Amino acid sequence: MIRLGIDLGGTKTEIVALAEDGTELYRHREPSAHDYPGTLTTIAQLVNMAEAELGEKCSLGVGIPGVVSPFTGLVKNGNSVWLHGHPLDKDLGELLDREVRVANDANCFAVSEAVDGAAAGKGFVLGLIIGTGCGAGIAVNGQVHTGGNGIAGEVGHTPLPWMEPEEFRSTKCFCGNYDCIENYISGTGFVRDFNERHPELQVETGQDITALIAENHAGAIATFERYLDRLARSLAQMINIMDPDVIVLGGGMSAVDAIYPELPARVASYVVGRESETPIVKNVHGGSSGVRGAAWLWPL
């Protein structure tokens, strides 16, 4: 069976076709529509194009920035707000005459890395995306674990653990709460922390900070030290609660190689019992993990 995966992003909608062994057979992307009827049309067009090229009807999984409520069957909790309140899986199923599986894009990331990525063969995989924001997905035996409320893995909207005095109520999150992990360990949080302390030298990206570190800039080094400690605290809390077999990092901050050598010892210093051998690894599939994971929503 050929599996189609759709990654529904804010700016582009991408499709990939995977063979049984994970070989990529087809890939294409189109600009994302910013309304619900347009989104359905874009996805249908991509599927029809792929199947015309492949010559057969395929399974279909879709990764979205949000979740399908297990209670109402409607999309919620996404930044693509035009999806909210709609039964996306059912509407696509009727339009394309097949069952369509829809999952949160972070869960798709975790599934991708669990099936044939950095966590291949592991039973319980936590995929943590640290980019503009911070989200996570959980894969158990290669399949999405959504939880009873459909929000398993929403670690970005839990408070930063073991906070320092100056960290309390220092940031307000878009979710309405203060001091969410997302505001500290995302790439956005990394930049904010530097800019708040160095108004005379504003930066725009995490790469700007790492470039300053290479120049031995004391403020950039201190910012990175705080970031590592906050990331270690956050990961230790996740291990204390979930104890995954492996944690796979994605998003822009996962590309900062300097975080990996120091994390294991730092994390262990916060984990209960002060010991942890949980591997913390960089993703294999990079920006393709979301779309590949959507295809793998249909298991082998």
Side-chain angles (χ1 to χ4, degrees), residues 125-284:
V125 177
L126 177 65
L128 180 68
I129 300 173
I130 41 178
T132 303
C134 170
I138 297 171
V140 178
N141 297 325
Q143 288 297 290
V144 171
H145 173 72
T146 57
N149 295 302
I151 57 171
E154 284 287 2
V155 296
H157 297 289
T158 58
L160 183 71
W162 303 293
M163 297 179 75
E164 299 293 336
E166 68 272 12
E167 292 171 335
F168 280 99
R169 296 187 69 81
S170 62
T171 65
K172 186 172 184 179
C173 186
F174 76 88
C175 74
N177 292 320
Y178 282 87
D179 305 325
C180 287
I181 282 174
E182 173 170 300
N183 292 323
Y184 295 96
I185 69 172
S186 64
T188 305
F190 184 43
V191 169
R192 174 189 56 78
D193 185 57
F194 179 87
N195 284 340
E196 285 180 350
R197 289 169 169 79
H198 301 281
E200 80 291 350
L201 184 63
Q202 298 289 286
V203 300
E204 295 184 359
T205 69
Q207 287 79 7
D208 294 335
I209 300 174
T210 56
L212 289 169
I213 291 172
E215 297 172 5
N216 209 33
H217 186 282
I221 293 170
T223 297
F224 188 61
E225 176 68 21
R226 285 190 299 274
Y227 179 84
L228 278 177
D229 184 62
R230 290 165 175 170
L231 180 58
R233 282 184 265 158
S234 301
L235 293 175
Q237 177 171 261
M238 297 172 205
I239 292 170
N240 282 347
I241 295 170
M242 292 179 277
D243 203 8
D245 295 322
V246 59
I247 298 173
V248 184
L249 302 185
M253 291 303 295
S254 72
V256 181
D257 290 334
I259 68 178
Y260 295 96
E262 296 211 32
L263 268 181
R266 288 175 179 262
V267 169
S269 72
Y270 289 109
V271 170
V272 64
R274 300 298 183 263
E275 60 180 8
S276 172
E277 297 295 332
T278 305
I280 302 166
V281 298
K282 185 191 298 187
N283 65 85
V284 165

Side-chain angles (χ1 to χ4, degrees), residues 32 34 64 66 74 82 96 123-124 131 147 202 232-233 249 271:
S32 291
H34 290 164
I64 65 170
L74 307 179
W82 53 91
L96 294 165
F124 188 149
Q202 298 289 286
R233 282 184 265 158
L249 302 185
V271 170

Side-chain angles (χ1 to χ4, degrees), residues 1-7 16-25 27 59-63 101-104 107-118 120 138-145 284-285 288-300:
M1 177 176 69
I2 296 177
R3 294 165 173 80
L4 297 179
I6 294 278
D7 182 24
V16 71
L18 300 182
E20 290 280 343
D21 63 357
T23 300
E24 184 179 309
L25 303 174
R27 182 188 290 261
S59 65
L60 177 62
V62 180
R101 297 183 178 178
V102 175
N104 175 261
N107 281 326
C108 290
F109 167 76
V111 167
S112 174
E113 295 298 327
V115 171
D116 63 353
I138 297 171
V140 178
N141 297 325
Q143 288 297 290
V144 171
H145 173 72
V284 165
H285 293 300
S288 295
S289 271
V291 70
R292 289 179 64 89
W296 288 127
L297 293 176
W298 292 86
L300 292 169

Side-chain angles (χ1 to χ4, degrees), residues 70-125:
F71 310 115
T72 67
L74 307 179
V75 176
K76 63 176 184 177
N77 295 356
N79 55 13
S80 298
V81 295
W82 53 91
L83 301 178
H84 289 180
H86 295 285
L88 181 63
D89 52 350
K90 291 184 173 59
D91 287 344
L92 285 173
E94 292 178 5
L95 186 61
L96 294 165
D97 188 29
R98 74 198 72 188
E99 180 186 350
V100 177
R101 297 183 178 178
V102 175
N104 175 261
D105 49 12
N107 281 326
C108 290
F109 167 76
V111 167
S112 174
E113 295 298 327
V115 171
D116 63 353
K122 299 294 186 180
F124 188 149
V125 177

